[in-house]
Amino acid sequence: MSGQAGPCAGVDVGGTFTDVVMHAPGHRPKAVKVPTTPANQAEGVQRGVAESLPGGVLRLLPHGSTTATNALLERKIARTAFVTTDGFTDVLEIARQNRPALYDLSATKPEPLVPHERVVTVAERMSPRGEAIVELTDAEIERVVDAVARLEPESIAVSLLFSYVRDDHERRLCSALADLGVPITRSGALLPEFREFERASTCVLNAAIEPVMRRYLSNLTTRLPDPTITVMTSSGGTAGVDFAATAPVHTLLSGPAAGVVAAGAVARSAGFDDAIAFDMGGTSTDVCLIREGRPDVSTSSEIAGLPFRTPAVGIHTVGAGGGSIAWVDIGGALRVGPHSAGADPGPACYGLGGEEPTVTDAHCALGHLDPARELGGLRLDVDAAHRALDALPESAAGVLSVVRATMARALRKVSTERGIDPAGLALVAYGGAGPLHATALARELGCPAVVVPPAPGVLSALGLLLAPPRFEASRTVLVDAREDLSQAWSELSTEARRELEKQGVTTEISLSKVADMRYAGQSHELRVDVTEQAELSELLHTAHRESYGYEMRDERVEVVTLRVIAQGEPVLADPPQDWDQGEPERKPDREIGIGDRAVRARIVSRAELRPGDEVAGPALIEQPDTTTLLTDEELATVDRSGNLVVRLT
């Protein structure tokens, strides 16, 4: 899978554009953007690869896909049947009884992916210790298969009670259901962990999107038969096509995860081990904490209000992007987002019929975007931007203040609200709009520096070349921390290594251990990295103190779930430094708005900058995929890796 000679392409399929970063021996890295083809994303991938391939045969294609995500968000999913233990018919509807908004009486939960009439229950029961309380009979299996067949499903999810302890019943049932000839997701194989609702929800999510993902990957491999194709998973690693086709729930945060992996590598290249990834696009902003060069990983996520328990980078998303619409609420206050003008008609300044004011219109009106410069084939209409903004009681600067407040809350969510001081975190800004807001947000949070990578608009595609093949094996054990866990660790290590080898990884595989632990009596656990030398109890004491400010040494420590992470080697060990930024353009200074002031700003082409160069604000540093805004007294330096680094302390 990894370590192959010849051209390799990282491909990120976004809502508007498909980004390709080509890495080929003897050539400088090349970035290409082509329109995404929503009806068949594989077509856009094929086109982007063709435009970027310098020659020869493409050897490896790691890519981030929104196929599973979009299918779920748009509810274009397979007709799914859900099979569960008798008495748990309503597990998906009862859920956890958490309300989406505590004081909103009109708030509603999302509809379950499987309606009540497509739930089939089984007369069987396992105990928490794996003892068969109600045996599963052959007659009952036959009855269940007949009941499921009558539903004419396109996919089946099977999640029986306590199958994470003993999965005999699930295996027998799935073996019989296989005769129906549709994909089957078995919870004991997909997620051998406790918490019945979350396991069932993850299982159903996977079953609902599996046929969609299978069709997409089959189409992609047919169109591109030469390269080994891998898929970015939510955990920050890549996986083989067969794994992604059968377990697509692992790809629900595929695109954003790749960007965070690259942001961590960029932060390290600029000399910062700890950072916050800040990705501002057209519709939303994604932020994620990075510690010691690695993104924060969680095993408790949700999408469209539906929880899933597969490993995922800890991304927090808010509806604040370049296309976010500014509006006035019933109390007369200015609001920005979460609604977006999208790509059609888009911001008013695009001249495509949009009339509502957006964040991009505010930047256009303030002179931050060059009206003579083409953006995706469009020339900006400054007058249209002003007309749209005239309908608001606030100025364009007010729109930026409001949207920055929303983004600042998101940044605090992954830093100060978790007890982490932003004074020790650099802000890595990327996405089409991120560098326009980065220094203002960093100052508000108290971050010491902003890092803008050489190609921020295609950072997620680059992240696919920096992401290692990765698989996480897990098992719920629920034992005292003093128990001997060596056999469980050994079995999980074998499973994790074997899975990567099955996916075609031929490079060296490294293993690391993680334990989910808690104090006895607690209802939630902490994910803790395990080292060979340290005692598990001591690791929890330290993690609890760092997370909550105190520890409870007199309490018994319980190990809930063991995890072993296997990783191969990525295509690139570090971000490339020799990007082709095109020909530099010389432009005269122009007047721009910063806050409520008008200032004269330098216009600098990033293509003319070299390591060691400095740019003093007020200035706009322009490049094909973004613009970096520097205010008064800010100084950007190009480091040896080609990053723009703005130190704010």
Side-chain angles (χ1 to χ4, degrees):
M1 180 187 288
S2 60
Q4 300 187 42
C8 302
V11 182
D12 176 51
V13 182
T16 305
F17 290 102
T18 293
D19 300 338
V20 181
V21 171
M22 183 65 65
H23 168 72
H27 295 267
R28 300 170 76 181
K30 183 177 183 181
V32 169
K33 279 182 176 285
V34 297
T36 292
T37 49
N40 185 352
Q41 291 184 354
E43 182 182 334
V45 173
Q46 184 182 28
R47 186 183 306 164
V49 168
E51 290 187 17
S52 59
L53 188 63
V57 178
L58 187 66
R59 297 298 182 187
L60 180 66
L61 177 69
H63 84 300
S65 171
T66 57
T67 299
T69 310
N70 291 344
L72 188 60
L73 295 177
E74 298 170 12
R75 293 285 177 129
K76 295 179 179 179
I77 56 177
R79 178 181 172 87
T80 304
F82 176 45
V83 181
T84 190
T85 301
D86 194 20
F88 288 81
T89 305
D90 299 316
V91 63
L92 296 177
E93 294 192 53
I94 295 174
R96 287 287 174 190
Q97 304 240 340
N98 296 334
R99 283 183 285 177
L102 188 58
Y103 300 109
D104 185 355
L105 298 180
S106 62
T108 58
K109 291 182 179 181
E111 288 292 321
L113 297 181
V114 178
H116 189 275
E117 60 270 18
R118 290 210 300 271
V119 179
V120 177
T121 59
V122 189
E124 68 84 40
R125 188 68 176 255
M126 287 285 184
S127 77
R129 293 177 296 280
E131 302 157 341
I133 298 173
V134 177
E135 290 285 359
L136 178 62
T137 65
D138 291 341
E140 178 64 3
I141 291 176
E142 185 176 348
R143 183 195 67 80
V144 170
V145 171
D146 289 343
V148 172
R150 287 194 295 273
L151 297 174
E152 300 181 346
E154 298 170 328
S155 188
I156 302 169
V158 180
S159 182
L160 303 182
L161 193 65
F162 297 119
S163 62
Y164 67 89
V165 179
R166 181 179 164 192
D167 62 359
D168 298 14
H169 289 181
E170 270 195 0
R171 286 179 179 276
R172 289 174 56 206
L173 193 56
C174 290
S175 178
L177 287 167
D179 292 339
L180 299 181
V182 299
I184 300 171
T185 299
R186 184 170 67 82
S187 75
L190 179 71
L191 189 68
E193 300 179 21
F194 82 145
R195 292 203 170 97
E196 184 63 21
F197 164 62
E198 285 80 6
R199 184 158 51 89
S201 176
T202 305
C203 186
V204 168
L205 272 170
N206 192 81
I209 57 180
E210 183 177 347
V212 179
M213 195 65 165
R214 280 183 181 274
R215 286 193 296 271
Y216 166 69
L217 291 175
S218 175
N219 188 11
L220 184 62
T221 53
T222 300
R223 285 175 173 271
L224 295 165
D226 294 324
T228 298
I229 297 176
T230 62
V231 183
M232 187 73 190
T233 65
S234 306
S235 64
T238 59
V241 168
D242 290 342
F243 178 83
T246 57
V249 70
H250 285 274
T251 71
L252 286 173
L253 296 179
S254 179
V260 171
V261 169
V266 165
R268 284 198 312 271
S269 73
F272 300 97
D273 288 335
D274 299 333
I276 301 178
F278 168 56
D279 177 10
M280 184 180 180
T283 304
S284 63
T285 292
D286 298 322
V287 299
C288 182
L289 180 67
I290 295 168
R291 304 302 296 270
E292 298 181 356
R294 296 183 301 169
D296 183 41
V297 176
S298 168
T299 50
S300 181
S301 306
E302 69 172 40
I303 183 166
L306 303 169
F308 61 98
R309 294 276 294 180
T310 57
V313 293
I315 292 172
H316 180 65
T317 302
V318 291
S324 294
I325 296 170
W327 53 287
V328 179
D329 68 16
I330 195 170
L334 179 66
R335 305 280 295 277
V336 179
H339 302 295
S340 172
D344 183 14
C349 62
Y350 282 9
L352 298 176
E355 297 180 352
E356 296 181 285
T358 68
V359 174
T360 298
D361 292 314
H363 283 300
C364 186
L366 291 169
H368 299 163
L369 303 176
D370 184 359
R373 178 175 156 211
E374 285 195 358
L375 293 176
L378 301 172
R379 287 191 179 274
L380 300 181
D381 187 339
V382 179
D383 291 337
H386 280 291
R387 286 196 299 272
L389 290 162
D390 285 344
L392 298 174
E394 297 281 348
S395 64
V399 172
L400 298 189
S401 294
V402 172
V403 76
R404 284 170 180 165
T406 299
M407 293 187 290
R409 285 194 294 272
L411 292 167
R412 291 191 182 96
K413 191 85 174 177
V414 299
S415 57
T416 53
E417 290 187 21
R418 297 179 52 185
I420 298 168
D421 187 358
L425 305 171
L427 190 66
V428 181
Y430 57 105
L436 281 165
H437 299 265
T439 60
L441 290 169
R443 287 188 183 281
E444 184 169 344
L445 259 74
C447 296
V450 168
V451 181
V452 181
V458 293
L459 199 69
S460 290
L462 173 62
L464 289 153
L465 299 177
L466 292 163
R470 184 185 190 278
F471 177 76
E472 181 174 311
S474 65
R475 181 189 303 172
T476 291
V477 291
L478 289 170
V479 298
D480 190 285
R482 293 168 294 188
E483 296 232 0
D484 181 10
L485 296 168
S486 56
Q487 182 177 345
W489 283 125
S490 177
E491 291 172 355
L492 287 171
S493 297
T494 300
E495 178 187 346
R497 181 183 294 276
R498 187 176 294 153
E499 177 60 38
L500 278 196
E501 291 172 347
K502 186 172 74 174
Q503 293 181 27
V505 175
T506 57
T507 59
E508 183 177 348
I509 295 174
S510 62
L511 300 176
S512 57
K513 298 176 181 177
V514 172
D516 296 353
M517 294 186 287
R518 64 189 181 188
Y519 291 118
Q522 290 183 325
S523 58
H524 293 282
E525 52 277 359
L526 288 173
R527 183 181 171 100
V528 181
D529 291 331
V530 176
T531 57
E532 296 296 336
Q533 297 79 17
E535 291 185 3
L536 293 178
S537 296
E538 286 299 322
L539 291 174
L540 178 64
H541 296 323
T542 301
H544 201 275
R545 184 174 62 251
E546 290 176 350
S547 298
Y548 303 112
Y550 68 98
E551 57 192 72
M552 298 186 291
R553 288 185 169 271
D554 294 334
E555 297 293 334
R556 181 172 63 87
V557 173
E558 187 176 40
V559 180
V560 177
T561 301
L562 300 181
R563 306 178 187 276
V564 172
I565 301 165
Q567 289 192 168
E569 295 179 2
V571 174
L572 297 176
D574 300 295
Q577 302 177 12
D578 55 343
W579 288 90
D580 183 359
Q581 297 281 6
E583 292 299 319
E585 295 182 62
R586 300 285 182 178
K587 295 183 180 179
D589 296 354
R590 72 170 179 263
E591 190 173 273
I592 67 170
I594 296 179
D596 293 326
R597 299 179 299 114
V599 299
R600 201 75 185 168
R602 291 178 59 198
I603 309 300
V604 180
S605 174
R606 186 153 186 182
E608 69 181 82
L609 299 178
R610 298 293 178 267
D613 288 352
E614 295 181 341
V615 179
L620 292 168
I621 303 174
E622 296 182 343
Q623 58 190 100
D625 52 352
T626 193
T627 298
T628 301
L629 172 63
L630 300 178
T631 62
D632 311 48
E633 301 180 359
E634 291 177 351
L635 179 69
T637 303
V638 183
D639 70 9
R640 63 183 181 180
S641 299
N643 303 304
L644 284 175
V645 180
V646 185
R647 297 188 181 273
L648 303 174
T649 56

